[in-house]
């Protein structure tokens, strides 16, 4: 791991900037690395390398790309334990959760992209056969990723960029630099040409801002907060670059009275609190049909209190800390806000869990709320769950959609016809019924202020391709 270097034009190079970021282990608060932070000149150097590589890399064959991706899959599987350890150290993700869900995203997405490359027709006839339709790379892409699902978000952007023929510059979150640095070395070892993949670390204000407004960047793919996404979109206006956004969420979880209530309760708590609540489409708003409300309330109180918090280095069914002190303070402030605005605190609350006096640990917290309370409308990004009641199917749909977000949604019911009916009316990019999990080839992305575009498999590839018609 070249912690003090950037990966540019096929080499590990010394940064031009002297600025650094102190990366701390959120479980111990101890410094684990000093990460260099790119300035505008570092960004220019990376963009220049990608731009120079475009003419040659965009013309590589599908067979060549399949070869490099096959190598990458083999290398990733060999080094997956290192990826796991890096994510535990940098963001405090609990070991068992990391091993079971975070780390497998890497090879899962690589496998899915290999299937796409083997089957996608980059060139084909138009429907009436009079023209040739070509899907060609958009150009140089800037990929800006968050820290909460480090490898998943990196591969969800890097893979379609390289598969489409777009040279890229990856700027991961400085909070999750270790896993990204490991992945950059894997790309190098897989044999991708110099300049096709470049990576630097930096903050949003300098590196992210310059990348997203750079005249030689043709596409920006950004995952992060809605606030930051709006800035990225504004930066692309002058050059009319393509901007793909996957932003915040406040996902509804509708529990109908006919659901398997014990299973629905356990899923609702686990899906919200896993990853310490740091998942953009986590089901943080539980809407419960009135006749089942008291039973679900009792079950959620018990499930919240039984959610264990502990050392992320240890295996087991527990959650770790949140990523840093800033997030810790923000979440504590949101819990205090919920109490102050009159939400009923059912479990958890302000302060660290008992016995954990060091590290950015949050008590899993449950509120009973009124629908319009800020604790129920604002994204918290921590292990905080809100529950409210509804009377009719129509009201459930209204409450689910009454948000600026539209990333994920969840439905719990034994009536699959009702599930399909409700799912079609919810304004969200992804809807899970009875805890069903998405495969790696399923498109992921949001509506409304949760963003635009889609990631994963074939659907992720489309955002990196332009369509050209040639008529002879």
């Amino acid at each position: 791991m070249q912690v003090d270097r950037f990966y540019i034009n096929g080499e590990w190079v010394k940064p031009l900037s002297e600025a650094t970021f102190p990366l701390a282990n959120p479980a111990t608060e101890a410094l684990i690395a000093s990460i260099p932070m790119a300035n505008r000149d570092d960004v220019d150097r990376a963009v220049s390398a990608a731009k120079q590589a475009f003419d040659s890399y965009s013309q590589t064959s599908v067979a060549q790309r399949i070869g490099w991706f096959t190598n990458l899959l083999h290398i990733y599987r060999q080094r997956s334990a290192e990826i796991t350890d890096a994510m535990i150290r940098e963001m405090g993700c609990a070991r068992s959760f990391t091993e079971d869900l975070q780390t497998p995203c890497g090879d899962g997405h690589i496998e899915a992209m290999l299937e796409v490359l083997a089957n996608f027709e980059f060139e084909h006839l138009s429907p009436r056969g009079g023209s040739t339709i070509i899907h060609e790379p958009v150009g140089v892409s800037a990929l800006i990723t968050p820290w909460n699902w480090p490898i998943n978000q990196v591969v969800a952007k890097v893979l379609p960029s390289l598969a489409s023929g777009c040279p890229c510059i990856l700027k991961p979150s400085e909070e999750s630099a270790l896993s990204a640095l490991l992945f950059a070395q894997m790309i190098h070892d897989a044999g991708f040409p110099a300049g096709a993949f470049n990576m630097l670390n930096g903050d949003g204000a300098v590196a992210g801002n310059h990348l997203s407004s750079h005249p030689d960047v043709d596409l920006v793919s950004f995952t992060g907060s809605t606030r930051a996404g709006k800035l990225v979109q504004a930066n692309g206006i002058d050059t009319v670059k393509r901007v793909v956004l996957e932003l915040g969420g406040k996902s509804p979880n509708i529990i109908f009275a006919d659901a398997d209530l014990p299973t629905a309760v356990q899923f609702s708590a686990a899906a919200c609190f896993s990853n310490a609540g740091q998942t953009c489409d986590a089901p943080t708003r539980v809407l419960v049909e009135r006749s089942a409300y008291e039973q679900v309330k009792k079950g959620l109180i018990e499930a919240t209190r039984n959610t264990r918090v502990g050392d992320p280095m240890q295996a087991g069914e527990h959650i770790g800390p949140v990523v840093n002190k800033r997030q810790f303070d923000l979440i504590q402030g949101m819990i205090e806000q919920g109490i102050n605005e009159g939400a009923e605190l059912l479990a958890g609350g302000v302060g660290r869990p008992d016995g954990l006096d060091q590290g950015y640990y949050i008590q899993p917290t449950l509120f009973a709320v009124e629908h319009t309370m800020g604790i129920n409308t604002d994204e918290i990004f921590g292990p905080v769950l809100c529950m409210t009641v509804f009377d009719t199917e129509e009201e459930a749909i209204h409450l689910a959609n009454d948000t600026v977000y539209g990333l994920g949604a969840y439905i719990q019911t034994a009536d699959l016809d009702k599930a399909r009916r409700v799912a079609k009316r919810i304004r969200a990019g992804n809807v899970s019924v009875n805890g069903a999990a998405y495969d790696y080839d399923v498109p992921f992305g949001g509506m409304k202020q949760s963003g635009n575009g889609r990631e994963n498999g074939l659907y992720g590839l489309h955002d990196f391709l332009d369509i050209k018609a040639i008529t002879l």
Side-chain angles (χ1 to χ4, degrees):
M1 238 194 317
Q2 304 286 340
V3 175
D4 61 344
R5 295 288 189 268
F6 297 151
Y7 185 76
I8 298 176
N9 203 28
E11 298 179 332
W12 290 102
V13 300
K14 186 177 180 180
L16 301 173
S17 169
E18 295 183 356
T20 59
F21 172 79
L23 179 61
N25 182 327
T28 65
E29 304 180 39
L31 182 70
I32 54 175
S34 184
I35 305 299
M37 300 291 277
N39 59 21
R40 290 172 63 92
D41 292 335
D42 288 308
V43 170
D44 287 341
R45 183 165 54 160
V47 173
S48 177
K51 183 180 179 181
Q52 292 175 21
F54 178 75
D55 283 346
S56 59
Y57 186 70
S58 65
Q59 299 305 308
T60 56
S61 68
V62 171
Q64 286 176 300
R65 296 174 203 171
I66 287 175
W68 294 320
F69 274 91
T70 301
N71 294 342
L72 179 62
L73 179 61
H74 177 67
I75 294 166
Y76 186 90
R77 286 174 171 167
Q78 284 185 318
R79 304 192 68 177
S80 62
E82 295 172 70
I83 288 286
T84 295
D85 288 341
M87 289 191 285
I88 295 171
R89 293 174 62 210
E90 67 194 4
M91 67 161 290
C93 191
R95 176 170 294 280
S96 294
F97 184 85
T98 308
E99 291 175 340
D100 294 344
L101 292 169
Q102 291 264 21
T103 302
C105 291
D107 49 327
H109 281 296
I110 298 170
E111 281 185 336
M113 190 53 67
L114 278 167
E115 293 171 5
V116 172
L117 281 172
N119 295 287
F120 186 73
E121 292 184 346
F122 284 88
E123 183 174 324
H124 56 86
L125 291 176
S126 61
R128 293 186 176 183
S131 300
T132 299
I133 308 300
I134 297 176
H135 300 266
E136 61 184 32
V138 169
V140 172
S141 66
L143 315 174
I144 303 175
T145 62
W147 44 261
N148 61 317
W149 283 78
I151 280 297
N152 180 75
Q153 293 303 134
V154 165
V155 297
K157 298 185 188 301
V158 171
L159 301 185
S161 183
L162 294 178
S164 69
C166 292
C168 61
I169 307 98
L170 170 67
K171 191 205 84 63
S173 169
E174 61 274 23
E175 303 280 2
S176 55
L178 303 184
S179 55
L181 288 163
L182 275 171
F183 187 73
Q185 184 63 49
M186 296 180 192
I187 291 280
H188 177 85
D189 294 343
F192 285 89
F197 171 86
N198 307 274
M199 196 208 85
L200 46 77
N201 286 300
D203 61 20
V206 178
N209 186 63
H210 193 38
L211 267 176
S212 58
S213 60
H214 202 290
D216 291 332
V217 168
D218 303 289
L219 178 152
V220 180
S221 180
F222 171 85
T223 296
S225 70
T226 296
R227 178 194 60 79
K230 292 176 181 179
L231 297 175
V232 170
Q233 189 165 51
N235 282 344
I237 289 175
D238 284 346
T239 54
V240 199
K241 56 172 53 65
R242 185 174 299 183
V243 178
V244 181
L245 302 172
E246 194 259 282
L247 307 176
K250 192 73 174 180
S251 299
N253 178 16
I254 303 171
I255 302 180
F256 287 101
D258 63 358
D260 178 342
L261 294 181
T263 300
V265 163
Q266 292 304 314
F267 168 81
S268 300
C272 176
F273 300 142
S274 64
N275 207 35
Q278 301 169 123
T279 298
C280 50
D281 65 335
T284 52
R285 289 191 296 137
V286 178
L287 314 176
V288 187
E289 191 167 5
R290 189 173 297 276
S291 61
Y293 183 79
E294 290 302 325
Q295 182 179 347
V296 170
K297 179 180 176 180
K298 180 180 178 181
L300 282 177
I301 291 172
E302 182 179 3
T304 302
R305 290 173 176 168
N306 288 340
T307 299
R308 293 187 294 118
V309 184
D311 183 356
M313 290 299 294
Q314 301 299 317
E317 296 301 317
H318 60 274
I319 64 174
V322 296
V323 70
N324 58 30
K325 186 178 187 302
R326 182 176 65 85
Q327 287 297 116
F328 176 85
D329 291 340
L330 284 171
I331 296 163
Q332 294 291 328
M334 290 296 295
I335 294 172
E336 289 179 353
Q337 176 186 320
I339 295 170
N340 292 337
E341 64 184 339
E344 182 185 1
L345 180 64
L346 300 174
V350 177
R352 292 180 172 87
D354 291 341
L356 294 171
D357 300 323
Q358 187 179 47
Y360 305 122
Y361 295 97
I362 304 283
Q363 295 186 68
T365 297
L366 174 66
F367 283 104
V369 301
E370 297 295 331
H371 173 64
T372 57
M373 289 178 174
I375 194 76
N376 193 53
T377 60
D378 299 335
E379 185 177 37
I380 300 173
F381 226 61
V384 180
L385 185 60
C386 296
M387 65 180 302
T388 189
V389 66
F390 69 87
D391 288 298
T392 66
E393 180 179 315
E394 196 67 28
E395 185 185 9
I397 294 168
H398 168 73
L399 293 174
N401 287 333
D402 190 20
T403 172
V404 299
Y405 299 112
L407 188 55
Y410 302 79
I411 300 169
Q412 320 293 331
T413 177
D415 184 343
L416 295 186
D417 288 334
K418 177 165 63 178
R420 293 186 185 95
R421 185 171 65 243
V422 173
K424 288 180 179 180
R425 293 186 59 193
I426 291 179
R427 294 278 294 157
N430 295 79
V431 182
S432 166
V433 176
N434 294 332
Y438 315 123
D439 204 344
Y440 293 109
D441 65 340
V442 173
F444 183 80
M447 299 177 180
K448 300 189 283 187
Q449 291 189 34
S450 287
N452 57 59
R454 292 295 180 267
E455 293 180 334
N456 301 349
L458 172 64
Y459 306 94
L461 189 70
H462 283 308
D463 283 333
F464 292 84
L465 295 171
D466 269 331
I467 299 175
K468 176 183 288 180
I470 300 177
T471 304
L472 302 179

